[in-house]
Amino acid sequence: MKIGVCGTGRMGSAIAQRLLAVGHEVAVWNRDAAKTEPLTEAGAKALPTPAALVEGCEAIVVMLLNDAASEAVYRGPDGLLKGKLAGKLVIDMSTVRPDTMQTIGASVAQHGAAFVESPVGGSTAPAREGKLFALVGGERADVARAMPVLEQLCRRIEHVGALGAGSAVKLAINLPLLVYWQALGESLTICKPLNLPADRLIDIMSDTAGTPTAMKGRGAVIAKVLGGEPLGPTAFGVNAAKKDLATAVQYARTLHAELPVAASALACFEEAEAAGLGNADATAISTHWPQRQAKAKS
Ligand SMILES: NC(=O)c1ccc[n+]([C@@H]2O[C@H](COP(=O)([O-])OP(=O)(O)OC[C@H]3O[C@@H](n4cnc5c(N)ncnc54)[C@H](OP(=O)(O)O)[C@@H]3O)[C@@H](O)[C@H]2O)c1
């Protein structure tokens, strides 16, 4: 199948790699064209605009940072909505506000294409392995049409309702995880005066009921950073994580609900971003907090 990947940041690149690996003809577009180079070296074709991407593909997988990026890339001068969309399939995997998926989905449908929202759980490694967890919203027939592609990218696919429902569930699954990274930083702050070896402390924390499965992959990295080593490559940035918390808090307001713990964690993520950690991996939140407290004391 000819599949376009629109947005080749960390996740879009990993998804494009997976689509190439399973034998699709892959085309890519990214605002910063330099990020398409590793993919063209691996066999993808880079196209100059989102509209050109639509032209040459049967299906388009969209993976953009946030609501502003979605607005720009769909509705911009050479945006996706300017391409020949009739008869095509658009699968949007970005994590954005539910109403953004609804309005963009309606615009895409007006141009005669099928639109499915499918934000995902799982980071770059699961994306490369086809082991994401898709939270899907859309019309049943459109979702059925998207299934063959989703099945090559995901280990689990949950169709949770109409457009917007997938985004709401995605925001819901990230909320406790992101609160956890801050909560872990606070736990480590309490333990700091004990001077326990970092790997032992993380091992103790990890063998408890309150620990998310994400610690299986990230615990060792956090222990290394606590021990003085550099953080290493970013899988999911502090900036994107902050956006998810902010989006959840904003979305809850539209439901006339308050999220006090998420709002409090959001303030900590904002503070970490202001301290220069925006591009660091979200797990930097857990190591930043004890360091920040130590600095504040001295
Ligand atoms: N990383 C993860 O582990 C993970 C896991 C699940 C879901 N997600 C979600 O997946 C989405 C992408 O995340 P990511 O980690 O791949 O982020 P990323 O590496 O920062 O990539 C963001 C992408 O959005 C594009 N973009 C940002 N602002 C734009 C604008 N105004 N106009 C056009 N393009 C714009 C970037 O283009 P440039 O390269 O030109 O800046 C890039 O292609 C986010 O919604 C995130 O919450 C991420």
Side-chain angles (χ1 to χ4, degrees), residues 45-291:
K45 182 178 176 188
L47 290 168
T49 64
L53 191 70
V54 170
E55 190 83 32
C57 297
E58 301 154 77
I60 299 99
V61 174
V62 182
M63 191 43 135
L64 298 163
L65 183 63
N66 55 18
D67 297 284
S70 298
E71 285 298 320
V73 173
Y74 280 93
R75 300 189 196 282
D78 290 311
L80 291 167
L81 291 170
K82 295 286 189 304
K84 286 185 185 156
L85 273 168
K88 309 266 166 96
L89 168 68
V90 178
I91 303 173
D92 197 323
M93 298 189 136
S94 320
T95 304
V96 294
R97 288 198 316 260
D99 63 289
T100 298
M101 287 296 191
Q102 288 163 348
T103 53
I104 284 173
S107 298
V108 169
Q110 275 169 8
H111 286 75
F115 180 88
V116 168
E117 67 167 342
S118 181
V120 290
S123 194
T124 48
R128 276 189 296 272
E129 292 160 9
K131 290 185 178 163
L132 294 168
F133 186 161
L135 289 322
V136 179
E139 297 286 334
R140 196 171 290 277
D142 296 338
V143 174
R145 200 175 149 192
M147 272 302 186
V149 176
L150 291 176
E151 280 166 354
Q152 288 179 322
L153 295 174
C154 305
R155 67 174 171 84
R156 179 168 176 177
I157 301 162
E158 287 288 335
H159 182 198
V160 289
L163 282 184
S167 298
V169 177
K170 166 64 192 175
L171 294 172
I173 65 164
N174 265 25
L175 191 160
L177 175 63
L178 299 179
V179 166
Y180 178 79
W181 294 133
Q182 172 62 21
L184 178 63
E186 296 178 20
S187 298
L188 296 171
T189 303
I190 294 175
C191 294
K192 200 167 175 32
L194 307 178
N195 287 322
L196 289 168
D199 52 352
R200 185 170 170 215
L201 184 53
I202 290 297
D203 186 46
I204 292 168
M205 302 290 303
S206 300
D207 192 18
T208 63
T211 299
T213 50
M215 276 291 269
K216 281 186 196 146
R218 304 307 290 166
V221 177
I222 292 171
K224 280 184 184 163
V225 176
L226 288 172
E229 290 184 38
L231 183 65
T234 296
F236 180 42
V238 166
N239 58 350
K242 183 209 76 175
K243 174 267 303 179
D244 285 359
L245 282 171
T247 309
V249 169
Q250 284 164 13
Y251 178 58
R253 280 198 203 113
T254 70
L255 306 175
H256 306 287
E258 283 179 29
L259 307 181
V261 174
S264 181
L266 170 60
C268 299
F269 275 71
E270 285 170 341
E271 197 261 6
E273 192 180 40
L277 289 175
N279 288 320
D281 192 77
T283 49
I285 292 294
S286 307
T287 49
H288 170 65
W289 198 256
Q291 285 163 2

